[in-house]
Amino acid sequence: MSTQIQLTHSRWRGPGPCNMTSHIQEGRTHFGAGSGSRRSGAGSGSGVSGLGKHTRSHLATAMADGPVAEVLLKRLEAADGGLDTANLAAELGVEHQAVVGAVKSLQALGEIIEAELRSTKHWELTAEGKEIAREGSHEARVFYSVPPEGLAQSELMQLPSGKVGFSKAMSSKWIRVDKSAADGPRVFRVVNSVEDEVQRRLQLVQSGQVEKLSEKEKSELKKRKLLTEVTLKTYWVSKGSAFSTSVSKQETDLSPEMISSGSWRDRTFKPYNFSAHGILLDSGHLHPLLKVRTQFRQIFLEMGFTEMPTDNFIESSFWNFDALFQPQQHPARDQHDTFFLRDPAEALQLPMDYVHRVKRTHSQGGYGSQGYKYNWKLDEARKNLLRTHTTAASARALYRLAQKKPFTPAKYFSIDRVFRNETLDATHLAEFHQIEGVVADHGLTLGHLMGVLREFFTKLGITQLRFKPAYNPYTEPSMEVFSYHQGLKKWVEVGNSGLFRPEMLLPMGLPENVSVIAWGLSLERPTMIKYGINNIRELVGHKVNLQMVYDSPLCRLDAERASPQTQEAA
């Protein structure tokens, strides 16, 4: 149960001490000097009990700034054994919290005082309970509202106590309802008089005789929210081993003047709190996505990769699909999966010599392939769209690489946004980031790809990996990469990979003995795994909790090099 500190004054009742309360009620802690009861000895000789409300308020404020601590020490010096903070607050006519603050301040100075937290429980009437103790229970008021000749039920229910009192009086068999009355249901008395036990019990509590009630009776009153159990918390203060009535304020700063004059030797300094948190600086905070993006980029650079240009969110179908040996009738080119543009609807410039080689490979085959055997259309290839993957940028980079003679091995990477017409759920968005790595060299195999992926994800701190065979139009063989998500308690796909097909590479002009391994993954899913986020919509979009951005670590230290515990699935 969380505890909230709240100060409450009860109404000033004339001469004598101000009544203040300290209790725990409905999960709250209140500090004060009693609720509705006078403390013995309070008010006599205090010099403040008879002051007006305005004067007392100013006095309480002034004493809370320091004098209350001095008064506490002087009272403690004269006391036999110790004193209670609630009694002292009542005597001084100040809020109990002011006395508690003085106790805490004195405790911070050393062993001047000792304070023991004490708590006692008692029963107290609620606001409704006080009303019933004064005016009677709802059922009694309903009973006495019914005249001997009876009262229409509709009229009875309009009374202030009608709804609650009617049901209680009926269950006590004080009244009855005649539904056959001519003017509608009518209520009559069953007995001549009643004993209002509820009022009697509440008055016993009010007069301090709660011990006369049984536990069952108190429980029933509590259930009706007429009675509440209160915990009174106070401090019992006694002298400490270093007790003194003259306490000098400890210095908190060592000034140049103290050093030059040597006065620091005669000063008492407050001990330095090495466990205290410093003041948080006002500054910007990186989103977890940006942090992980920076980490991915650093990993690629450490592994010798060069970043590809990815500044074209709008791409032609040729570079997004056709250049990757993806047929024009492929389902991914449907509007249900891809966002096509209306203006501009088509790309105007394409490398036509390369376009003709791609057309021939699709429609007739070549380079050892029979192709797809369909009528390839240039109009379809010109359609503009929001790129569905950064592999379009990889195709452009490999095409530029093929134009350089002689061939030089290369390693490329890219991290940027892509767009797909996805159904939104806990792991999918219509706009997300894709990370892609490409290695072009002689004689690369599937083993090289798996080894690079292990090294890549190990640097990221993800060692629980699984590889699953898959199909991609432009890679053969192909593999999906899975990682175990501790938050979702399941294996989540984090990437796709494979070797680019010859039908994609050879039309570009790359040598026949050159292989290209590639892999792509989302930026959002690894971020979710690393930060324990179960719903991608809590990471990106209007549901992002900015406090999460503020509280996320500045850097993560879980990406240490470790022996891979990679699990492979055939």
Side-chain angles (χ1 to χ4, degrees):
M1 179 184 297
S2 62
T3 302
Q4 303 175 0
I5 305 300
Q6 178 175 329
L7 304 177
T8 59
H9 281 285
S10 60
R11 183 175 300 174
W12 177 244
R13 304 177 191 272
C18 171
N19 289 276
M20 292 167 286
T21 183
S22 166
H23 62 280
I24 295 181
Q25 183 172 353
E26 301 300 332
R28 295 189 176 185
T29 301
H30 305 262
F31 287 92
S35 176
S37 61
R38 300 185 183 274
R39 300 280 179 176
S40 60
S44 59
S46 66
V48 297
S49 60
L51 298 178
K53 181 178 181 182
H54 182 74
T55 306
R56 291 174 54 80
S57 176
H58 281 279
L59 179 60
T61 303
M63 296 189 72
D65 293 334
V68 67
E70 299 175 9
V71 174
L72 188 152
L73 292 174
K74 292 179 181 179
R75 294 292 181 92
L76 188 59
E77 183 182 28
D80 184 13
L83 56 84
D84 183 82
T85 55
N87 288 337
L88 180 61
E91 292 176 11
L92 299 179
V94 298
E95 293 181 355
H96 183 247
Q97 184 60 24
V99 180
V100 172
V103 170
K104 297 296 183 182
S105 299
L106 292 173
Q107 283 182 312
L109 299 179
E111 302 296 326
I112 297 177
I113 62 170
E114 294 182 358
E116 177 189 352
L117 182 63
R118 293 182 175 182
S119 61
T120 57
K121 294 184 177 181
H122 67 276
W123 292 93
E124 187 176 283
L125 301 187
T126 64
E128 185 182 0
K130 293 177 182 177
E131 177 192 349
I132 291 178
R134 183 175 62 253
E135 300 180 7
S137 65
H138 297 298
E139 51 267 38
R141 279 184 265 177
V142 164
F143 175 81
Y144 289 114
S145 298
V146 178
E149 66 273 13
L151 182 67
Q153 185 179 0
S154 59
E155 186 178 346
L156 176 65
M157 299 302 286
Q158 293 178 1
L159 298 177
S161 301
K163 293 183 179 180
V164 177
F166 174 77
S167 61
K168 293 291 183 183
M170 286 288 292
S171 61
S172 299
K173 297 182 179 180
W174 292 352
I175 58 176
R176 65 180 177 85
V177 179
D178 183 5
K179 296 183 179 180
S180 61
D183 55 348
R186 196 169 185 83
V187 180
F188 295 91
R189 292 185 182 183
V190 175
V191 294
N192 294 325
S193 62
V194 297
E195 293 290 337
D196 193 352
E197 286 295 320
V198 174
Q199 183 184 32
R200 184 187 67 82
R201 293 166 185 169
L202 292 176
Q203 288 174 345
L204 286 175
V205 176
Q206 203 170 37
S207 61
Q209 304 179 66
V210 67
E211 67 278 358
K212 293 184 178 182
L213 300 183
S214 65
E215 291 298 324
K216 182 179 179 181
E217 290 171 338
K218 288 185 286 188
S219 178
E220 290 177 353
L221 294 175
K222 183 179 179 181
K223 188 175 181 181
R224 290 186 62 173
K225 297 183 179 180
L226 305 177
L227 191 66
T228 183
E229 190 174 26
V230 173
T231 300
L232 178 67
K233 302 188 76 173
T234 61
Y235 286 94
W236 179 258
V237 184
S238 57
K239 299 176 182 178
S241 58
F243 177 78
S244 173
T245 56
S246 59
V247 180
S248 59
K249 183 179 180 181
Q250 293 177 314
E251 299 290 344
T252 57
D253 294 313
L254 179 62
S255 65
E257 291 76 12
M258 292 181 187
I259 297 175
S260 60
S261 64
S263 62
W264 62 270
R265 295 184 178 90
D266 302 324
R267 304 289 182 92
T268 302
F269 289 89
K270 188 175 183 179
Y272 191 85
N273 184 3
F274 289 95
S275 61
H277 295 287
I279 300 175
L280 294 178
L281 298 177
D282 292 330
S283 60
H285 298 270
L286 290 177
H287 191 281
L289 269 180
L290 295 179
K291 296 178 185 179
V292 177
R293 182 188 184 279
T294 302
Q295 187 175 2
F296 270 116
R297 190 173 184 275
Q298 186 62 35
I299 290 172
F300 275 117
L301 295 176
E302 289 176 0
M303 297 176 67
F305 283 72
T306 301
E307 190 165 7
M308 295 182 285
T310 56
D311 53 354
N312 48 327
F313 290 171
I314 298 176
E315 190 59 274
S316 66
S317 294
F318 176 79
W319 288 109
N320 197 83
F321 295 122
D322 297 277
L324 304 180
F325 196 58
Q326 192 161 330
Q328 293 184 341
Q329 68 271 22
H330 193 278
R333 302 174 78 145
D334 189 82
Q335 291 185 355
H336 293 292
D337 297 300
T338 304
F339 295 109
F340 287 91
L341 269 65
R342 292 181 180 177
D343 185 20
E346 293 185 350
L348 302 179
Q349 295 182 351
L350 294 174
M352 296 310 297
D353 55 340
Y354 177 40
V355 169
H356 291 313
R357 292 195 296 271
V358 171
K359 175 181 178 180
R360 184 169 60 252
T361 307
H362 276 248
S363 58
Q364 301 175 16
Y367 312 103
S369 172
Q370 64 179 4
Y372 291 113
K373 304 297 183 181
Y374 71 97
N375 184 21
W376 187 89
K377 297 179 181 180
L378 179 60
D379 292 342
E380 190 70 27
R382 288 187 182 276
K383 289 183 178 180
N384 283 331
L385 48 82
L386 294 177
R387 66 180 177 207
T388 62
H389 46 200
T390 52
T391 314
S394 301
R396 287 179 177 269
L398 291 173
Y399 175 72
R400 288 191 296 267
L401 178 65
Q403 311 315 306
K404 299 178 182 179
K405 306 297 181 182
F407 168 78
T408 303
K411 294 189 287 187
Y412 299 124
F413 81 95
S414 64
I415 307 174
D416 215 329
R417 279 184 286 177
V418 297
F419 311 87
R420 296 183 187 177
N421 196 357
E422 296 272 12
T423 300
L424 304 185
D425 59 28
T427 56
H428 292 84
L429 288 177
E431 176 183 345
F432 57 96
H433 291 76
Q434 183 172 332
I435 302 167
E436 185 148 337
V438 175
V439 181
D441 204 347
H442 299 279
L444 295 179
T445 65
L446 190 65
H448 291 98
L449 174 60
M450 296 174 69
V452 171
L453 287 175
R454 285 196 185 98
E455 179 69 13
F456 177 80
F457 281 102
T458 299
K459 283 180 173 289
L460 189 62
I462 298 176
T463 57
Q464 286 185 286
L465 295 179
R466 281 182 179 176
F467 300 111
K468 177 183 177 182
Y471 167 76
N472 291 319
Y474 45 88
T475 58
E476 180 60 38
S478 306
M479 295 188 307
E480 291 177 343
V481 186
F482 290 81
S483 175
Y484 189 74
H485 193 302
Q486 294 291 343
L488 297 176
K489 301 299 181 184
K490 67 178 182 179
W491 291 88
V492 177
E493 181 186 354
V494 294
N496 210 331
S497 64
L499 275 72
F500 283 139
R501 297 175 66 101
E503 294 95 329
M504 170 186 164
L505 301 177
L506 296 178
M508 294 178 176
L510 291 172
E512 292 186 5
N513 60 346
V514 170
S515 301
V516 179
I517 59 175
W519 67 97
L521 58 145
S522 159
L523 177 64
E524 283 77 6
R525 289 186 184 178
T527 304
M528 291 171 63
I529 293 174
K530 290 177 68 62
Y531 284 86
I533 298 173
N534 299 336
N535 193 326
I536 196 171
R537 287 165 289 191
E538 297 175 4
L539 183 68
V540 179
H542 66 284
K543 293 185 178 181
V544 169
N545 181 4
L546 295 181
Q547 189 64 35
M548 176 268 296
V549 179
Y550 183 87
D551 294 336
S552 64
L554 179 65
C555 63
R556 299 195 65 91
L557 306 178
D558 56 357
E560 300 177 357
R561 292 181 61 86
S563 56
Q565 302 174 358
T566 307
Q567 302 184 37
E568 300 174 19

